[in-house]
Amino acid sequence: MIAAPSFAAIQAARERIAGSIRRTPVLSSDFLDQEVGAKLFFKCENLQVSGAFKARGAFSAVLNLPAALAARGVVTHSSGNHGAALALAARSRGIAAYVVAPRTTPASKQQNMRRYGAQLQLCEPTLAARQAAADEIIAATGATLIHPFDNADVMAGQGTVALELLEQVPDLDAILCPIGGGGLISGAAVAAHGVNAGIRILGAEPAGADDAWRSRSAGVITPVAQPASLADGLLATIAASTFEVIRTQVQAVGTVSEAQLVAAMRRVWEELKIIIEASSAVPVAALLNGSLPVAGLRVGVVLTGGNVDLQRLPWKQD
Amino acid sequence: MIAAPSFAAIQAARERIAGSIRRTPVLSSDFLDQEVGAKLFFKCENLQVSGAFKARGAFSAVLNLPAALAARGVVTHSSGNHGAALALAARSRGIAAYVVAPRTTPASKQQNMRRYGAQLQLCEPTLAARQAAADEIIAATGATLIHPFDNADVMAGQGTVALELLEQVPDLDAILCPIGGGGLISGAAVAAHGVNAGIRILGAEPAGADDAWRSRSAGVITPVAQPASLADGLLATIAASTFEVIRTQVQAVGTVSEAQLVAAMRRVWEELKIIIEASSAVPVAALLNGSLPVAGLRVGVVLTGGNVDLQRLPWKQD
């Protein structure tokens, strides 16, 4: 079974990826601070290479492959930010990146992965078809599967964002991340607790894909039958590896409605002047709807990505 | 007559405003570099307090007022970013900021100025009405007029962006700014040449408000009769003070069509994941349309502001 990375593994990942990723800026807004009643530090991973924090995990994994294995390429079945990030990381090593994506993947996302060099293979939008397509590629090429979150090197890479943030803002009381498969929040929890055992780790999910919230309540992984949300990066179900960290090292998980996440997305665009995607707005929405215990705290908020179709905004034009 | 600030005055402005403004990040994009054929460093003044570089000039001027004068407040007739920035700077000193704005000013801009504490006075949208309203306020209150660009302290403040950028990226070959009234480019030219006499200063304007381009060609200030552009921050006519610098220290001015600036705005949103307003897209459009001599150079591009009405984007939604 895959286990979450150690603090040392996250430190090693940070050294490995240092030359490949950006030290992203931290922004703030007095207006948002006043509204939430906390001091917020937004870690702008939407400004990361590939437009999302996923570059951290992808480079961490790709750069850790032995040369002989790497030469056969890497494969994944994320059609979103992990797919693009993996393609970018693979290109930096001059190796192939095969991405299995459902044929329903929006054209803009397909194009984005292709321009980073991904070799796309479209399949029927079912778990079985996806798995079969990935297996076929692995059998034919010997490529290594780099899972978007259930992979210790990927989690370690994602965790580096917390190390960096705690250097930029050392005296944080809490770090808040969205939860999809849980790779980010588990890496960040291990990393942050390695620096400061007392720091609180908070999560946020859309109400329509609240498997982490349900799993914490039930004490066992509890998938949502039909996860649905505009936050398309947060639809995955947590894995055993990430749940173990979410269960033991995360203090609270807030949930938000679709209307709340759209309003939060727009507020961030307006106040911070940056493009964040719907998934990144979920933690902000959880701060604004009061579902997280942050009053008076200094909170680092990871804004995870900025890959948005600018012709399909989730609010009306006048 | 007002003269452009000296290099020493810009250095002094920088010390004065250091505690009030942000050191904004510098972003880059391999895709944009490839398309332009130059190495571009985007100085993100859209992430500046108040959402625009105008905070530099406003704080520079407001913090330089003697206490007795400051106590009577400040006044201006910019309805855009300078108005909001002046209100913010005034509030930091606990003094009044009166802003005369045409009654046609969009509600979103009025609201933005008010939330920074501006006392708005609406007038008819004519130069005469604006001047009369400002004169009346000055007569009644003794407030000091802080002109948006024809003011040495304001120009000095705007120039600090070039000092900061040249610390962040020391080996630039050129710095590119949009030109409205010319306060930014003249401050930046004096500042940059104070650091490196050989650096090239480039400007950009919308074709519908190309008074700087015309004035350079004619050798004398040549206003555009009816300036018109989506780049509403660039409609002002340059002043004698700014023209003197534009004439002698600026190497080239590129012009762009409305379609080009809209396309450039969208490209920046997509590639850099930041919100820039139409005025900020003009230099990027000039890079993309080939109207500036930048091939192979390292070019600093000042992205001036990010105040956009998100319900009125200049491109269609699907």
Side-chain angles (χ1 to χ4, degrees), chain B residues 50-133:
Chain B
S50 83
F53 78 99
K54 294 282 189 181
R56 295 177 181 271
F59 273 101
S60 170
V62 167
L63 296 178
N64 213 23
L65 285 177
L69 206 57
R72 295 188 213 141
V74 289
V75 59
T76 195
H77 43 62
S78 154
S79 59
N81 291 335
H82 175 68
L86 190 68
L88 180 64
R91 194 171 63 179
S92 81
R93 268 192 94 165
I95 64 175
Y98 307 98
V99 178
V100 176
R103 58 175 173 65
T104 50
T105 305
S108 62
K109 290 211 161 182
Q110 294 187 31
Q111 191 192 345
N112 193 47
M113 286 189 282
R114 284 206 181 90
R115 71 179 194 154
Y116 285 114
Q119 299 186 38
L120 272 196
Q121 173 142 350
L122 300 180
C123 68
E124 291 305 301
T126 68
L127 198 65
R130 195 179 76 173
Q131 196 55 55

Side-chain angles (χ1 to χ4, degrees), chain A residues 72 79 100 138 146 202 251 304:
Chain A
R72 296 188 211 140
S79 59
V100 176
I138 291 167
I146 309 289
L202 307 172
Q251 193 191 34
T304 47

Side-chain angles (χ1 to χ4, degrees), chain A residues 266 273 307 311 317-318, chain B residues 266 273 307 311 313 318:
Chain A
R266 188 170 159 180
K273 315 298 183 191
N307 292 318
Q311 271 175 224
Q317 295 292 299
D318 279 347
Chain B
R266 187 169 161 180
K273 315 300 184 191
N307 293 317
Q311 270 176 225
L313 298 188
D318 280 346

